[in-house]
């Protein structure tokens, strides 16, 4: 297949602003290339693909970012800025796809989904979030009625946010295992990885570390400075060890030294890339039983699922972390979330989408 991909309209690839979509895109490109497909990616100016994805052709578009939907009200209208990056990427995609088989849209936004109703080109949407916007959910419902195969989700629990989707197509996610080294360090610090923003619940992980009289190592882009400062001020100075935003290569090296990852989502996390990345390094994960992580973590085998928002319950599981075998964590990723497994699921889905247009 010849596949064209549109990246997220929030931050360039490599900036971290696009969250998990940046890594998911790279994993998908790796998997599709290794299955022998041709891949072209349309992404914001300054974007970089992983070195191993150099066979994919990269097109740059310059323009204004979209506002991320998780930071707008559920009832907000769609905002499209002047010189819209999203519109520019879509325009380019619709042009290139004339000589290709399918256009994959990785932005969670209105315009590309609406366009599906207005062109005879298969546009396949990887929905990267739960229902964060009424206007988008209603549009997905409308497009789904005409094109029931054009949407895929990362987890069943994410798809539940869209109850009108009768048989959701679940593609999971994939990780390039060569990029993660297994480390058997059971005595390391506690880790937290993610965008520092309210929906990620960092404060609960800091609480757990502080109760144990430990520091918490935190990696990720600080998306909301006010929120970050507020958490910092609520705990003794130095409880948070801010480690910044690292490339996958550097992040996994440091993360692998930790004894557990705490994952504290306050929203219906679509998947939770950081959970699987941690497991790939051999680091067990203690997460709230909510969203994607609740489908990924095998309670008592690869980590623990704590009652949502119950910090004390999470704390009690940290004390039992040595019961988890780190090798089992890595094995789960190898068996369930490699780039090849992911790309095969996506290709099966794309075949269904394309078939509908013939
Ligand atoms: N990440 C990274 N470097 C860091 C911290 C985070 O590359 O220092 C990446 C991580 O690899 C993951 C993404 O940030 O792919 C966060 O994705 P996740 O699915 O966990 O949450 P999202 O941001 O999409 O809500």
């Amino acid at each position: 297949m010849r596949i064209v991909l549109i990246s997220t309209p929030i931050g360039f690839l490599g900036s971290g602003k696009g969250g998990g979509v940046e890594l998911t895109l790279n994993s998908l490109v790796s998997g599709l290339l290794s299955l022998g497909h041709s891949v072209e990616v349309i992404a914001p100016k300054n974007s970089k693909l992983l070195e191993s994805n150099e066979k994919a052709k990269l097109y740059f578009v310059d323009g204004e970012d979209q506002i991320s939907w998780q930071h707008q009200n559920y009832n907000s209208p769609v905002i499209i800025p002047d010189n819209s990056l999203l519109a520019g990427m879509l325009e380019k995609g619709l042009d290139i796809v004339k000589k290709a088989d399918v256009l994959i849209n990785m932005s969670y936004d209105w315009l590309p989904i609406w366009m599906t109703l207005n062109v005879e080109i298969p546009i396949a949407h990887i929905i990267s979030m739960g229902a964060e916007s009424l206007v988008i959910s209603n549009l997905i419902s409308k497009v789904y009625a005409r094109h029931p195969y054009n949407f895929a989700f990362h987890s069943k629990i994410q798809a539940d946010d869209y109850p009108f989707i009768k048989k959701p197509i679940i593609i999971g996610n994939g990780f390039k295992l060569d990029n993660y080294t297994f480390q058997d360090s059971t005595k390391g610090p506690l880790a937290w990885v993610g965008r520092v923003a309210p929906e990620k619940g960092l404060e609960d992980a800091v609480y757990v570390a502080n109760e144990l009289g430990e520091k918490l190592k935190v990696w990720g882009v600080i998306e909301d400075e006010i929120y970050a400062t507020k958490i910092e001020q609520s705990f003794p100075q130095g409880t948070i060890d801010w480690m910044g935003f690292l490339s996958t290569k550097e992040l996994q090296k440091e993360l692998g030294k930790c004894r557990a990852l705490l994952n504290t989502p306050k929203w219906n996390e679509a998947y939770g890339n950081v959970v699987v990345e941690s497991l790939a390094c051999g680091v067990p994960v203690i997460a709230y039983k909510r969203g994607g992580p609740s489908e990924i973590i095998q309670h008592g085998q690869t980590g623990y699922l704590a009652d949502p928002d119950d910090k004390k319950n999470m704390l009690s599981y940290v004390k039992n972390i040595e019961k988890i075998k780190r090798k089992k964590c890595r094995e789960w990723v190898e068996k369930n979330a490699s780039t090849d497994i992911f790309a095969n699921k996506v290709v099966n889905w794309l075949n269904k989408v394309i078939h509908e247009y013939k």
Side-chain angles (χ1 to χ4, degrees), residues 19-20 23 193 195 200 220 244-246 251 267 269 273-274 277:
L23 186 71
V193 187
R195 286 178 294 107
K200 297 290 186 178
F245 177 80
L246 301 184
L251 174 67
W267 67 339
E269 187 77 59
N273 283 0
V274 299
E277 294 181 86

Side-chain angles (χ1 to χ4, degrees), residues 216-233:
L216 179 71
K217 289 205 173 270
V218 174
W219 286 275
V221 165
I222 299 186
E223 211 172 60
D224 186 334
E225 290 277 355
I226 297 168
Y227 166 73
T229 308
K230 208 171 135 201
I231 301 175
E232 193 158 35
Q233 287 169 350

Side-chain angles (χ1 to χ4, degrees), residues 1-61:
M1 263 190 264
R2 193 172 156 192
I3 299 162
V4 183
L5 270 155
I6 296 182
S7 182
T8 166
I10 300 168
F12 60 88
L13 289 170
S15 68
K17 286 189 185 163
V21 176
E22 296 185 24
L23 186 71
T24 303
L25 185 144
N26 266 296
S27 297
L28 183 56
V29 171
S30 299
L32 292 172
L33 289 174
S34 94
L35 294 177
H37 300 286
S38 129
V39 185
E40 289 161 85
V41 177
I42 299 157
K45 198 176 88 174
N46 296 326
S47 288
K48 278 203 182 95
L49 289 172
L50 291 180
E51 266 171 44
S52 52
N53 284 336
E54 61 182 11
K55 268 170 112 190
K57 191 162 180 191
L58 186 56
Y59 299 88
F60 296 116
V61 173

Side-chain angles (χ1 to χ4, degrees), residues 83-140:
N83 186 29
S84 157
L85 172 61
L86 179 60
M89 291 199 295
L90 184 60
E91 221 174 302
K92 185 88 185 158
L94 289 170
D95 185 35
I96 297 171
V97 78
K98 287 180 195 149
K99 292 191 190 131
D101 296 298
V102 63
L103 183 62
I104 301 183
N105 164 44
M106 300 193 71
S107 74
Y108 177 91
D109 222 311
W110 186 86
L111 188 59
I113 304 175
W114 177 79
M115 195 55 89
T116 320
L117 293 168
N118 298 289
V119 289
E120 285 310 310
I121 290 165
I123 310 181
H125 306 276
I126 298 184
I127 302 296
S128 59
M129 292 203 271
E132 289 295 311
S133 145
L134 176 72
V135 66
I136 292 183
S137 289
N138 284 344
L139 180 65
I140 294 176

Side-chain angles (χ1 to χ4, degrees), residues 282-303:
V283 179
V285 183
I286 306 167
Y288 285 146
K289 194 175 180 181
R290 174 182 276 150
S294 68
E295 279 174 30
I296 297 167
I297 297 158
Q298 296 186 294
H299 186 74
Q301 297 289 312
T302 58

